[in-house]
Amino acid sequence: MSNHVFPPAPQAAVPVRGDSRHYAVRRIFCVGRNYAAHAREMGFDPDREPPFYFNKTPAALVMSGATVPYAAGTRNLHHEMELVIALGKPAFHVGAEHALDCVWGYACGLDMTRRDLQQEAREAGRPWDFAKDFDDSAVISPLVPASEIGHPASGAIQLSVNGQLRQSGDLKDLIWSVPEIVANLSAYYRLQPGDLIYTGTPEGVGAVRPGDVITGRIDGVGEIALTLGPPEAG
């Protein structure tokens, strides 16, 4: 007999490419404005200031290939294509020179953003939670182990909407690299296996609408896809 008031939610997990096993997700961290050109298009100076982060809950995860409703509460839903880090070892106060030892694998990700709510929050000096952490806002492809592909430090990262290219960048243009991100974040958190880190998006973010098909790819990592359905009725 269960001692819970309600049945616990299923464990959030991401499939592993070519493997029957899944990667159980503990937490999701996201790096803000980690490509200079994207920082400029959002109206910010791209100088290499310390990285900053926001979070999404594992309940926001949705797998590549899904069809999801257009997000509630927004009229300006944006796509953001990103490399995702999956940790496989604990990391606390780890140096950048050892940080990659803690990385288990990588995936393609979409950080879906309610841009109008983000702008309203920014202007009011409020947190971004409503803009970033919502149902189906953390899209992810199957994970690929670093033991198979290494640690990608360069390579094309691209996103198209309905076949039209919108985002095109290179991983080498990350302001803060993968080892630097892991090292910096480990100064503030006891990072653990199951923690995902979305590393930021290149320029070209933009609005999507019901019926749009989003596709993306990262050289050496994989591909991702998402179809937007109509908003859910209240």
Side-chain angles (χ1 to χ4, degrees):
M1 180 180 294
S2 173
N3 63 350
H4 297 94
V5 175
F6 301 105
Q11 168 67 56
V14 180
V16 177
R17 190 173 72 190
D19 197 320
S20 61
R21 298 174 299 168
H22 285 63
Y23 177 94
V25 176
R26 183 170 179 262
R27 292 181 293 192
I28 303 173
F29 300 94
C30 304
V31 186
R33 298 197 295 266
N34 201 24
Y35 286 82
H38 174 59
R40 292 189 194 98
E41 75 178 350
M42 297 303 293
F44 293 91
D45 190 328
D47 282 349
R48 200 170 189 260
E49 60 184 2
F52 71 94
Y53 308 92
F54 55 91
N55 295 85
K56 292 177 184 272
T57 59
L61 277 172
V62 62
M63 297 304 113
S64 173
T67 298
V68 301
Y70 186 87
T74 183
R75 296 181 179 178
N76 195 17
L77 181 66
H78 277 211
H79 56 76
E80 298 191 9
M81 179 72 190
E82 313 204 359
L83 175 70
V84 182
I85 304 166
L87 296 183
K89 292 181 180 179
F92 187 54
H93 289 292
V94 67
E97 66 276 16
H98 300 298
L100 292 181
D101 295 337
C102 303
V103 176
W104 185 87
Y106 297 91
C108 302
L110 298 176
D111 165 21
M112 303 303 292
T113 301
R114 296 192 280 206
R115 191 72 71 200
D116 45 357
L117 302 190
Q118 184 185 35
Q119 291 170 343
E120 290 171 7
R122 184 185 299 144
E123 290 169 2
R126 295 173 180 170
W128 292 0
D129 299 58
F130 268 17
K132 289 290 191 177
D133 185 13
F134 55 92
D135 295 338
D136 306 321
S137 65
V139 189
I140 192 166
S141 72
L143 283 161
V144 288
S147 60
E148 293 183 12
I149 65 169
H151 297 281
S154 63
I157 174 172
Q158 297 179 325
L159 178 141
S160 297
V161 178
N162 303 326
Q164 298 296 313
L165 184 65
R166 287 208 184 167
Q167 291 187 267
S168 183
D170 195 292
L171 297 179
K172 66 180 174 56
D173 294 326
L174 283 166
I175 296 173
W176 292 91
S177 68
V178 168
E180 289 172 328
I181 290 167
V182 174
N184 180 267
L185 195 55
S186 78
Y188 300 93
Y189 291 90
R190 294 181 179 87
L191 299 175
Q192 296 290 333
D195 289 341
L196 298 176
I197 308 172
Y198 283 59
T199 60
T201 194
E203 66 178 318
V205 300
V208 285
R209 297 173 176 80
D212 283 349
V213 177
I214 304 168
T215 55
R217 58 180 294 274
I218 300 175
D219 281 354
V221 177
E223 299 179 347
I224 195 168
L226 184 73
T227 300
L228 294 176
E232 288 183 304

